[in-house]
Amino acid sequence: MTATITAFERSPDRGQGLARDMRVRWALEEAGQPYDVRLVSFRAMKQPAHLALHPFGQIPTYEEGDLTLFESGAIVLHIAERHAGLLPDEAKARARAIAWMFAALNTVEPPIVEHEMASYFERNQSWYATRLPMLEDRVRTRLDELSRRLGDAEWLDGAFSAADLLMVTVLRRLEGSGLLEAYPSLSAYVARGKARPAYGRAFAAQLAVFTGQPLAG
Ligand code: GTB
């Protein structure tokens, strides 16, 4: 059964693939699963029809038959549990990969989002210049720890998994800030993720929404 996901009709990132539908698209591409996309406006996201799918009026959502999911991490886990290629088969390795999925979303993403939100919404506030070094330090703490653990490894724990998929999308939110670029091993890790053919297909699909161009092929 082909799943339907929701995505921004007009993403504020202008097709950079930073909105969280990108994770779901990438997971579906890795799993080789076709999907439909329903584009929603900011207004429609807050209307009852969408709120019935997503209690917080956000994207992405995922509909598959009579199953509706929200939360990008839960959606990626659902896809990974049902299709080969995104989680190890061996039970302990699988549990560790899921732990890394939570780490990406619960431990690494929050300080990155906090830093990003401040730069969008607090830039003109009197306290911004005082607060920024603290926000940057919180991000650097996580990047220090993550780069130490990753070391020279290609992926977080053995083969590429849904954990890497989530971690790469989380780290991508720092691109251009100078913070990620200070960690060559993490920059290379993100580049490895972005070089995967499934990532390329997912990125092209979301970019096509912004450019209004149909996908080639
Ligand atoms: N925890 C939820 C999940 O992982 O699914 C968070 C979902 C979420 O934040 N969705 C955002 C949304 O719908 C889009 S992804 N926002 C509208 C609203 O809350 O009213 C966040 C996002 C938005 C835009 C950019 N960007 O332009 O760069 C990047 C990320």
Side-chain angles (χ1 to χ4, degrees), residues 14 37-38 56 83 107 152 159 161 163 166 168 184 189 200 206 209:
R14 304 169 65 83
V37 183
R38 192 167 59 251
F56 308 114
H83 303 284
T107 304
D152 295 331
S161 77
L166 291 177
V168 166
Y189 170 68
Q206 63 78 40
V209 174

Side-chain angles (χ1 to χ4, degrees), residues 77-97:
L77 179 58
H78 174 78
I79 296 163
E81 282 182 323
R82 276 152 192 83
H83 303 284
L86 282 167
L87 281 176
D89 290 332
E90 195 276 318
K92 287 181 184 164
R94 198 178 180 93
R96 285 197 305 274

Side-chain angles (χ1 to χ4, degrees), residues 131-145:
R131 189 159 181 257
L132 187 61
M134 182 194 72
L135 296 173
E136 289 180 343
D137 276 352
R138 286 182 186 159
V139 172
R140 280 196 204 96
T141 297
R142 289 293 174 252
L143 299 185
D144 283 344
E145 293 158 341

Side-chain angles (χ1 to χ4, degrees), residues 97-110:
I98 293 171
W100 273 114
M101 292 176 74
F102 278 83
L105 302 182
N106 282 356
T107 304
V108 180
E109 189 165 47

Side-chain angles (χ1 to χ4, degrees), residues 111-175:
I112 292 176
V113 170
E114 186 73 10
H115 174 266
E116 186 180 299
M117 290 302 131
S119 74
Y120 288 153
F121 300 118
E122 298 174 26
R123 193 172 280 279
N124 297 323
Q125 302 297 335
S126 56
W127 66 77
Y128 181 67
T130 315
R131 189 159 181 257
L132 187 61
M134 182 194 72
L135 296 173
E136 289 180 343
D137 276 352
R138 286 182 186 159
V139 172
R140 280 196 204 96
T141 297
R142 289 293 174 252
L143 299 185
D144 283 344
E145 293 158 341
L146 187 62
S147 64
R148 209 175 304 133
R149 174 54 80 98
L150 185 66
D152 295 331
E154 201 174 1
W155 305 114
L156 289 169
D157 190 355
F160 174 84
S161 77
D164 297 295
L165 184 154
L166 291 177
M167 193 67 85
V168 166
T169 59
V170 164
L171 294 176
R172 273 212 61 211
R173 300 185 72 155
L174 288 170
E175 283 176 346

Side-chain angles (χ1 to χ4, degrees), residues 8 12-13 18-20 42 45-46 58-60 71-72 173:
F8 282 136
D13 74 354
L18 296 171
R20 288 180 174 95
F42 277 95
M45 274 191 276
K46 308 303 175 192
Q58 296 182 314
I59 60 97
E71 284 298 327
S72 58
R173 300 185 72 155

